[in-house]
């Protein structure tokens, strides 16, 4: 299938998109990657895959050493695909399962541990080293690729982010009553953790998407990328 956004591959930039949940990172990263002919890598899917494995093994999310050991014994693969990336855990397609509520909650705890993060960062660097990528997450511009060619910090008002999440869940037919409280709590954990807390890199372009449409944000980010490509 040819995506209508697609374009000829150009350059080999490393583009980092960070920000809180519900700011629109995933959609923007995926569409930007298509427009540039780049690969889109969702770093959060890796934390989610490890969290799923910990759930399946009935492990404590507080046991840092055991979680790192689990990660070392795991094969987590992000497989870029048109129309949504796939996440493979030990060869199993867990793309849908890792979006469920229990995994979302578990990933928020698993990602607190510095040693787990170190394992993830090493793998994320290896995946993106060749450039031509749009990687999104919480610490891409600050930690994974501090020398990224373009860093975007995509933010939005908490009420708007909650509303977007609620709409996404309604589309999926899920109960959305606890969305706001859970999102706020995950946000708090992301922003206050000791290891690589969520914050904008000093050289990131901060975009507040509260009053912008998806297409407006995408156009802004694409313009920034094309300016970088033009040198
Ligand atoms: O972006 P996401 O919701 O799929 O991320 C899942 C969890 O992983 C979330 O709780 C934040 C965490 N995460 C992180 O700590 N660092 C990243 N680079 C990506 C995600």
């Amino acid at each position: 299938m040819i995506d209508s956004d697609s374009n000829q591959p150009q350059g080999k930039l490393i583009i980092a998109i960070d920000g809180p949940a519900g700011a629109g990172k995933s959609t923007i990263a995926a569409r930007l990657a298509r427009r540039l002919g780049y690969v889109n890598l969702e770093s959060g899917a890796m934390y989610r895959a490890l969290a799923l494995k910990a759930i399946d093994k009935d492990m404590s999310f507080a046991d840092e050493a055991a979680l790192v050991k689990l990660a070392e014994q795991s094969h987590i693969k992000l497989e870029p695909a048109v129309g949504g990336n796939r996440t493979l855990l030990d060869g199993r397609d867990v793309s849908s399962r890792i979006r469920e509520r229990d995994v979302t909650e578990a990933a928020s705890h698993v990602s607190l541990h510095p040693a787990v993060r170190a394992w993830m960062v090493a793998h994320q660097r290896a995946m993106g080293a060749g450039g031509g990528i749009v990687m999104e997450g919480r610490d891409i511009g600050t930690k994974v690729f501090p020398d990224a060619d373009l860093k975007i910090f995509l933010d939005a008002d908490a009420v708007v982010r909650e509303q977007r999440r609620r709409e996404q869940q309604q589309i999926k037919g899920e109960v959305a009553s606890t969305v706001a409280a859970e999102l706020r709590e995950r946000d708090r954990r992301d922003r206050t953790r000791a290891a690589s807390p969520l914050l904008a890199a000093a050289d990131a372009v901060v975009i507040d998407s509260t009053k912008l449409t998806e297409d407006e944000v995408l156009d802004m980010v694409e313009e920034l990328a094309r300016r970088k490509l033009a040198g």
Side-chain angles (χ1 to χ4, degrees):
M1 188 177 85
I2 307 286
D3 190 276
S4 58
D5 277 341
S6 71
N7 208 333
Q8 289 304 306
Q10 296 181 35
K12 283 282 174 191
L13 299 181
I14 292 179
I15 301 176
I17 302 186
D18 290 301
K25 295 185 305 294
S26 301
T27 318
I28 295 299
R31 291 188 63 194
L32 177 67
R34 281 203 294 274
R35 282 192 178 184
L36 297 174
Y38 280 15
V39 167
N40 169 218
L41 296 166
E42 294 173 88
S43 63
M46 297 182 67
Y47 289 93
R48 287 171 179 269
L50 181 63
L52 172 59
K53 193 157 174 176
I55 290 172
D56 286 348
K57 290 190 175 289
D58 216 9
M59 286 171 55
S60 161
F61 308 139
D63 191 340
E64 181 169 16
L67 288 168
V68 172
K69 204 167 159 200
L70 188 69
E72 286 166 350
Q73 294 163 352
S74 303
H75 190 67
I76 299 172
K77 191 167 175 225
L78 302 182
E79 201 176 73
V82 176
N85 291 346
R86 295 202 315 157
T87 305
L88 302 177
L89 172 62
D90 300 325
R92 178 167 61 113
D93 186 346
V94 293
S95 314
S96 303
R97 175 68 182 98
I98 60 168
R99 301 291 154 195
E100 289 176 23
R101 192 171 156 192
D102 59 337
V103 180
T104 299
E105 190 58 21
S108 173
H109 290 275
V110 163
S111 60
L112 293 177
H113 302 297
V116 170
R117 303 196 66 83
W119 186 90
M120 294 286 173
V121 167
H123 282 76
Q124 288 156 2
R125 282 186 183 145
M127 277 189 272
I133 59 147
V134 181
M135 190 178 285
E136 58 105 344
R138 306 290 190 286
D139 62 345
I140 310 307
T142 52
K143 190 83 183 176
V144 181
F145 289 114
D147 296 325
D149 301 289
L150 176 61
K151 299 179 187 178
I152 306 291
F153 191 87
L154 191 54
D155 210 345
D157 188 86
V159 175
V160 170
R161 291 189 288 111
E162 287 156 17
Q163 181 58 30
R164 288 178 187 163
R165 270 293 136 96
R166 227 176 270 123
E167 284 165 9
Q168 282 169 355
Q169 284 181 308
Q170 274 159 2
I171 290 167
K172 286 198 275 177
E174 292 170 4
V175 181
S177 58
T178 55
V179 167
E182 287 176 2
L183 191 108
R184 270 169 208 237
E185 182 52 23
R186 288 202 303 278
D187 250 15
R188 191 195 60 74
R189 278 196 288 269
D190 278 345
R191 290 182 201 270
T192 59
R193 69 179 169 230
S196 309
L198 170 67
L199 51 89
D203 52 351
V205 178
V206 180
I207 298 178
D208 184 339
S209 74
T210 306
K211 293 184 178 150
L212 300 174
T213 66
E214 193 181 296
D215 283 342
E216 284 170 333
V217 175
L218 184 63
D219 288 345
M220 286 170 75
V221 176
E222 184 185 3
E223 173 64 23
L224 291 166
R226 296 212 181 267
R227 255 190 256 159
K228 286 280 174 190
L229 281 164

